[in-house]
Structures are given as C-alpha cells and as structure tokens.
Amino acid sequence: MKKYITSIVLIASTSMFAQVGIGTETPTRLLDINGNLRVANLQDKTNSVDYTYVLAADDDNNIDKVSIPAIIEDATKQVQIVKNIYNATATDNTRIVQCGKLSFRLENSKIYMKLNNEPISAISFVYGGKRWGAISASTTTGYSYSNLTLNFSTADWNTYKNIDTTFSLREGAFVNYHFIVPGDGDMYRITASQLKNDDKTSNYSLICERFYKTEE
C-alpha cells in the first residue's frame, strides 16, 4: 500500500510542474494550445484605471501582456492623449489620468499631479496656467494667467500635489497648464473644465496631451 501512495505522490508532483499541451505533444510553455480559444462572460473594463495591459502575441504565438500606454506611444510617436470625462456631483479623485511620466487627478475641484517613476534627484517644474470663465467665486467670465512652480523630491515623487493652489474649478471654468519634464523634452498640456449638467451634477473633464520631442 505504501508503494502505491508513493507512486501517486510522484505522479501528482510531476504533473503539477510539467508543461501541458492541448493539440500538441511538444508544449513549449506551461500551457501550450494549438488551436482556437474561446472565453465567455468577460467583464467590460473600458473605463477602469486598474486595467493598464492587453494581451499580445509574438510571431511564435507566445502570449504575454503589453502596456496600453506603450502601445499608444509606439503607434503615434507624435502625441499621446489620455482623458477622463465624467458626470458627477463633485470631482472624483479615483479617476486617474496617467500620461507619460506624469499622473493627474481632480480632487476637491483642484488639479493634482505626481510622478510615475522615482527620479534620480529632485525635480522642479516651472509652468504656466491659463484660466477662462468662472475664474473666481465672484466672477462668471474672465481670464487670468500665472507662472507656477512645483517641486518633487526622491522622497515625495509618488505623492499627489496641487498644481495651482490659487484656483479651483467652478461651473463654467476652463483651465490649461503646460509642462516640460526636466531632462525629457516632451511637452504636456493639461486641460480641465467643469460644465453644469443639471441642478445637481456637472460634467468634469481632465485631459492630458503629451507632445513628443522632435527627434534631431
């Protein structure tokens, strides 16, 4: 009886770590399928910020994940556009716009930014901000411009920071800011707006455009 148990354990262990082939006797990966694949009841995650990869196959039909921003970047090499437009009673800080080396979100009617990767040293942004429409609590129409700065260190690069402490989004407001990541050369244009939808909700938009540096 002991011999039989030992044999079963050995067979189970071998099967657990073996490559499995479906339609092929010579699998080259943990699961190797020579044929069609059908998957049903998939959930639509189009608007989810948690899904940033898609499946792709190489010339040998090996399937792996590829970053969606990387696909967009390779396809255009001129401009990358990432946007988040939604209808709500207030700004939603869970709706992230990840664009190139920067990420943005709206929080308490203000625009916040962070770096996507830890820098080698501290980074200082110097940029301009333009505002139209309801630029203050007492002004329904108007225009203003400011030169602004924002600093990130190797300790707080992953912390969202308010890019314009003097301004908050209001109904009818429209703003944009222009950034260049030091040492990078690509230009980023951030546009945000708030338009009244009904008595309770507004249409919020946050759009990032990344313009690639022209290759010399």
Side-chain angles (χ1 to χ4, degrees):
M1 183 66 179
K2 186 175 181 180
K3 291 182 179 179
Y4 290 120
I5 294 175
T6 303
S7 299
I8 293 172
V9 171
L10 288 173
I11 293 171
S13 300
T14 303
S15 300
M16 187 180 300
F17 297 101
Q19 293 174 323
V20 177
I22 300 177
T24 176
E25 296 181 355
T26 56
T28 59
R29 303 192 93 176
L30 191 60
L31 176 61
D32 192 334
I33 302 174
N34 181 20
N36 297 326
L37 176 66
R38 180 176 183 271
V39 180
N41 299 320
L42 296 177
Q43 298 182 41
D44 185 354
K45 297 295 183 179
T46 302
N47 296 318
S48 175
V49 297
D50 297 325
Y51 288 75
T52 57
Y53 293 91
V54 294
L55 295 180
D58 65 11
D59 292 338
D60 293 324
N61 296 317
N62 293 309
I63 298 176
D64 289 289
K65 67 179 183 180
V66 178
S67 167
I68 294 175
I71 295 174
I72 297 173
E73 180 175 334
D74 288 340
T76 60
K77 284 300 182 184
Q78 293 182 352
V79 60
Q80 175 190 9
I81 301 175
V82 184
K83 58 187 177 180
N84 212 321
I85 301 173
Y86 57 95
N87 188 52
T89 57
T91 51
D92 183 353
N93 64 7
T94 65
R95 295 177 178 267
I96 309 300
V97 171
Q98 184 174 328
C99 184
K101 296 183 177 181
L102 308 173
S103 286
F104 301 87
R105 72 184 186 190
L106 294 175
E107 181 176 350
N108 296 324
S109 296
K110 293 182 178 292
I111 304 173
Y112 285 75
M113 179 182 85
K114 77 174 186 70
L115 305 181
N116 289 334
N117 297 290
E118 182 178 357
I120 298 175
S121 58
I123 291 180
S124 180
F125 290 88
V126 179
Y127 52 98
K130 298 180 180 180
R131 316 171 188 90
W132 294 268
I135 60 176
S136 69
S138 59
T139 305
T140 56
T141 60
Y143 169 81
S144 68
Y145 176 86
S146 296
N147 289 315
L148 304 162
T149 59
L150 191 63
N151 300 310
F152 288 94
S153 69
T154 55
D156 64 6
W157 63 273
N158 199 33
T159 300
Y160 279 97
K161 296 186 177 184
N162 187 352
I163 69 173
D164 188 350
T165 58
T166 65
F167 180 79
S168 296
L169 274 179
R170 297 176 177 85
E171 291 180 359
F174 174 84
V175 295
N176 69 39
Y177 304 86
H178 295 79
F179 298 86
I180 292 181
V181 178
D184 179 69
D186 294 344
M187 188 187 79
Y188 296 77
R189 179 169 63 192
I190 311 305
T191 304
S193 65
Q194 178 183 350
L195 300 175
K196 186 176 182 180
N197 187 56
D198 53 40
D199 292 338
K200 296 182 180 180
T201 63
S202 292
N203 188 273
Y204 295 95
S205 67
L206 181 60
I207 303 170
C208 173
E209 299 166 277
R210 177 190 181 190
F211 300 91
Y212 292 92
K213 177 184 177 182
T214 303
E215 297 294 337
E216 298 179 356

